[in-house]
Amino acid sequence: MQLCCLTGGVLLLVFFLDNRFRVLPSAIHNHLPIHHPGLVITDITVKQCSSINPLSSCVLDPDVWHRVEKDLYLNTGWVNKAYVHIQRKLEEDLEPEDKVITDVRMGKLDPAIGEKNKGADKWESRNAGIWLKRSSKRHDSDSKRVITAVDVLFGADAVEPRPGWEVKDTPLLLDTSGEMQEARLSVRRGPPMKIENPVPRVRKDGKFKILQVSDLHLSTGIGKCRDAEPPGHNGGRCDADTRTLEFVGKILDQEKPDMVVLSGDQINGETSPDAQSAIFKMAEVFISRSIPYATIYGNHDDEGSLTRAMSMSLTESLPFSLSQPGPNTISGIGNYYVEVLAHSSKHSALTVYLLDTHSYSPDEKQFRGYDWVKPDQIRWFRDTSQTLKEKDEHRHYTHIHLDMAFIHIPLPEYRDTSLQRVGEWREPPTAPGFNSHFKDALVQEGVTVVSCGHDHVNDYCALSRSSPTSSESSSDSHSPNPAGKPDLWLCYGGASGFGGYGGYDGYHRRVRVFEIDTNDARISTWKRVEWGEDDATEKRIDEQVIVEGGRVVGIPGLGRV
């Protein structure tokens, strides 16, 4: 007992000595509970320069300073540019004279004014209204309050969804014009937090609900509304992103989906010079509610500051994200699938396929308009579907397995005016001019419904049927609409964002809900709207059953609506 007490006392003494004086080697020091390896920030400043003065530079000594590669004027300054620079060191390389940053404030006045507990460390002033509290105490470099990373976000509505990060309420004090250019520091305290990927699973009652949110068209900053309805709402003032995200948040709270599919054009490229700020706003509304979400891209997502690959890498790193870039051996970014597991087993109850429909036609002379799903993507889809069906997780599932798909740009088959449909057709579908016959592959692999976005004011589901055989044609010769069996529902999600066009006779923004009942292999769908009379916002619009017993089903008496 004496030996144990002595050993414990020595370890405790060494622990506290190391906390202040770093007496242990790094290999041991970094694994102690209150210590963390990696970089710590020792200084932050802003360097401004003139774009018309060849002797002016926005670069500090690169051996000492690291520059955050975001112009604080978002490249809109006629003359000025400015960049945040940081000094950073590995914790183990800190010298006795080095100081680490334990707090950051923004403002014109010294934050110490009015502080009750000022402490020994004084606030230090830097350019652009930055105030730093720095400490040379050795244990502060290991504390959870030490600043270990710095980023820049933009807009009065900037949010920070990354765990351990916080965005400052007060913007950097720069001579900027307009709300979009409000540059704000975002800082992380302590080491990066590990993010676990969520595993979608059917609820105890056998149901699983997917909310499709399409065409958010978010901006850097609050954005400007287009075709807002009703026109005089809120005294005529309409902040696009604020109203869009309030709508989505309301639906999330009411419908409580198990998963969200973002089916493209989350970002309005031309008004998103910092797409990261827009992506963070999109993600925060789901992360704050602990709802898994999966993303594919539209033709506007990569027209801002980030490419598709960069956006996917960023989104993939955020909490509750199911998004994946997919194989790099096929066309596009974001060709992947999500498995939804049964409630109490490892078996797959539902597979959700997500594919990249790209942007604009690569052959405008022959096929004007938009791009299409490529042959290598279709091969990947077929191979993946066949491989999954052979897995034990699929074969040993005791109920009927279901498959769904989401894309952004509609397939050419959406143009067929002869199809029976439920919902609104307010604009001609802007499907690609070339048909790569992805629809045929979906039917052959047993997908029951595909849903897209892109055309903001179309929100219908159209029933595709297989070509009738000769026997079916003869037996249905007295039917007013002789046709084959239902083989696929072609649905639209409808646009949700006020930053994109609306118009067309008072169209209200909307989202689509899919509810999957795995006990009966049934899929139901309906829409929810942002505005409307007679309690329209509380109702399920055009509710219908589209799959029953694992089979695509029509609606008796359904005609073209």
Side-chain angles (χ1 to χ4, degrees):
M1 289 178 64
Q2 290 177 336
L3 181 60
C4 290
C5 291
L6 178 62
T7 304
V10 170
L11 289 175
L12 191 63
L13 179 62
V14 171
F15 182 82
F16 282 108
L17 284 173
D18 181 73
N19 185 40
R20 179 170 290 273
F21 300 109
R22 187 80 56 76
V23 298
L24 292 172
S26 296
I28 300 176
H29 168 88
N30 289 335
H31 286 86
L32 290 177
I34 66 168
H35 297 300
H36 57 81
L39 296 167
V40 291
I41 308 301
T42 59
D43 207 349
I44 305 173
T45 192
V46 170
K47 181 69 170 69
Q48 292 183 276
C49 61
S50 171
S51 57
I52 61 175
N53 182 357
L55 300 179
S56 178
S57 173
C58 275
V59 179
L60 296 175
D61 184 354
D63 292 330
V64 179
W65 295 91
H66 168 78
R67 191 172 88 168
V68 179
E69 294 299 332
K70 289 186 178 182
D71 176 18
L72 301 181
Y73 293 95
L74 285 174
N75 300 313
T76 62
W78 289 95
V79 176
N80 295 327
K81 288 183 176 294
Y83 291 87
V84 170
H85 288 71
I86 60 174
Q87 285 186 17
R88 55 188 184 178
K89 279 190 173 183
L90 285 170
E91 185 191 353
E92 61 191 42
D93 294 336
L94 291 171
E95 301 293 338
E97 66 274 10
D98 286 331
K99 292 183 177 182
V100 296
I101 300 174
T102 58
D103 204 358
V104 180
R105 300 275 181 87
M106 308 299 305
K108 294 181 179 179
L109 302 178
D110 187 340
I113 299 175
E115 280 189 344
K116 293 182 179 179
N117 301 316
K118 296 183 179 181
D121 299 323
K122 296 182 178 179
W123 288 98
E124 303 176 22
S125 176
R126 298 292 186 270
N127 295 339
I130 298 174
W131 292 87
L132 307 177
K133 184 169 281 190
R134 303 198 300 162
S135 171
S136 58
K137 297 175 183 177
R138 303 306 286 168
H139 68 279
D140 279 344
S141 65
D142 295 314
S143 70
K144 293 181 179 179
R145 62 177 182 152
V146 68
I147 305 298
T148 55
V150 176
D151 204 349
V152 178
L153 300 176
F154 294 86
D157 59 346
V159 295
E160 183 53 88
R162 294 174 290 187
W165 287 77
E166 60 175 303
V167 61
K168 298 301 175 180
D169 292 335
T170 304
L172 292 165
L173 302 184
L174 299 167
D175 181 20
T176 58
S177 59
E179 178 272 336
M180 181 192 296
Q181 285 77 36
E182 286 189 359
R184 298 168 186 269
L185 281 187
S186 183
V187 299
R188 185 186 70 204
R189 297 179 184 275
M193 295 185 183
K194 185 178 180 180
I195 296 175
E196 300 270 343
N197 289 329
V199 178
R201 190 176 289 274
V202 173
R203 299 194 305 264
K204 189 176 182 179
D205 61 0
K207 294 182 179 180
F208 189 85
K209 186 182 288 187
I210 297 175
L211 176 67
Q212 181 187 359
V213 179
S214 193
D215 295 270
L216 285 164
H217 282 269
L218 299 175
S219 301
T220 302
I222 58 178
K224 295 181 180 180
C225 288
R226 295 180 60 184
D227 308 321
E229 290 290 339
H233 177 65
N234 195 30
R237 175 178 173 81
C238 182
D239 299 327
D241 290 10
T242 304
R243 190 168 171 184
T244 298
L245 294 172
E246 284 179 352
F247 166 48
V248 174
K250 175 185 175 182
I251 298 299
L252 292 172
D253 294 336
Q254 292 178 345
E255 292 285 356
K256 294 180 172 52
D258 302 290
M259 172 182 169
V260 173
V261 172
L262 296 146
S263 54
D265 280 358
Q266 287 75 247
I267 307 305
N268 195 51
E270 62 183 12
T271 60
S272 292
D274 183 61
Q276 179 184 358
S277 296
I279 290 172
F280 280 4
K281 289 188 295 184
M282 170 207 78
E284 193 274 339
V285 74
F286 309 118
I287 294 170
S288 63
R289 293 169 172 83
S290 303
I291 299 175
Y293 57 98
T295 305
I296 51 177
Y297 297 121
N299 49 295
H300 291 293
D301 283 297
D302 54 3
E303 293 177 344
S305 61
L306 298 178
T307 64
R308 266 170 153 75
M310 295 163 68
S311 292
M312 181 59 79
S313 178
L314 180 62
T315 305
E316 187 183 15
S317 70
L318 296 176
F320 294 96
S321 176
L322 300 169
S323 305
Q324 300 174 37
N328 59 9
T329 55
I330 63 174
S331 304
I333 300 294
N335 300 292
Y336 63 106
Y337 62 91
V338 174
E339 293 275 45
V340 178
L341 302 184
H343 171 66
S344 57
S345 74
K346 64 179 181 178
H347 298 122
S348 173
L350 168 71
T351 301
V352 178
Y353 292 96
L354 303 105
L355 286 94
D356 186 1
T357 50
H358 316 289
S359 295
Y360 304 100
S361 172
D363 187 358
E364 274 289 336
K365 290 185 178 180
Q366 189 170 0
F367 304 106
R368 297 190 64 183
Y370 293 94
D371 209 342
W372 48 86
V373 179
K374 300 296 193 294
D376 61 351
Q377 293 174 273
I378 298 175
R379 285 194 298 272
W380 169 82
F381 165 71
R382 288 183 183 275
D383 292 344
T384 301
S385 175
Q386 292 295 328
T387 300
L388 290 176
K389 289 173 184 176
E390 294 301 317
K391 285 189 172 183
D392 289 344
E393 290 82 354
H394 283 240
R395 290 192 299 111
H396 296 162
Y397 179 54
T398 56
H399 293 61
I400 298 174
H401 185 276
L402 297 171
D403 295 287
M404 301 175 65
F406 290 90
I407 54 179
H408 178 68
I409 297 172
L411 302 175
E413 287 79 5
Y414 277 75
R415 289 200 188 102
D416 190 345
T417 58
S418 68
L419 299 182
Q420 297 172 310
R421 59 182 183 270
V422 175
E424 299 187 42
W425 175 318
R426 295 199 179 199
E427 61 178 318
T430 52
F434 176 76
N435 193 341
S436 60
H437 297 287
F438 180 48
K439 182 257 180 182
D440 296 338
L442 291 170
V443 171
Q444 290 164 9
E445 294 304 324
V447 173
T448 55
V449 55
V450 59
S451 196
C452 70
H454 190 56
D455 297 328
H456 294 190
V457 297
N458 287 339
D459 72 352
Y460 60 83
C461 279
L463 180 60
S464 170
R465 294 177 179 270
S466 61
S467 300
T469 62
S470 56
S471 59
E472 288 174 334
S473 299
S474 59
S475 63
D476 285 348
S477 59
H478 299 292
S479 172
N481 293 306
K485 296 179 180 179
D487 61 10
L488 181 68
W489 278 99
L490 305 166
C491 292
Y492 274 106
S496 61
F498 285 83
Y501 73 88
Y504 293 88
D505 303 322
Y507 182 86
H508 299 299
R509 268 64 177 189
R510 59 199 61 202
V511 293
R512 180 174 286 279
V513 180
F514 292 96
E515 185 174 69
I516 298 92
D517 187 335
T518 60
N519 293 327
D520 298 319
R522 178 189 301 122
I523 300 178
S524 305
T525 186
W526 60 87
K527 294 161 291 191
R528 296 288 304 277
V529 296
E530 192 267 348
W531 187 267
E533 299 177 354
D534 300 326
D535 298 324
T537 59
E538 307 299 323
K539 295 179 179 178
R540 296 179 174 184
I541 310 297
D542 293 332
E543 185 173 4
Q544 57 184 121
V545 175
I546 56 178
V547 175
E548 186 72 70
R551 296 175 179 272
V552 178
V553 294
I555 298 176
L558 173 66
R560 287 181 293 170
V561 179

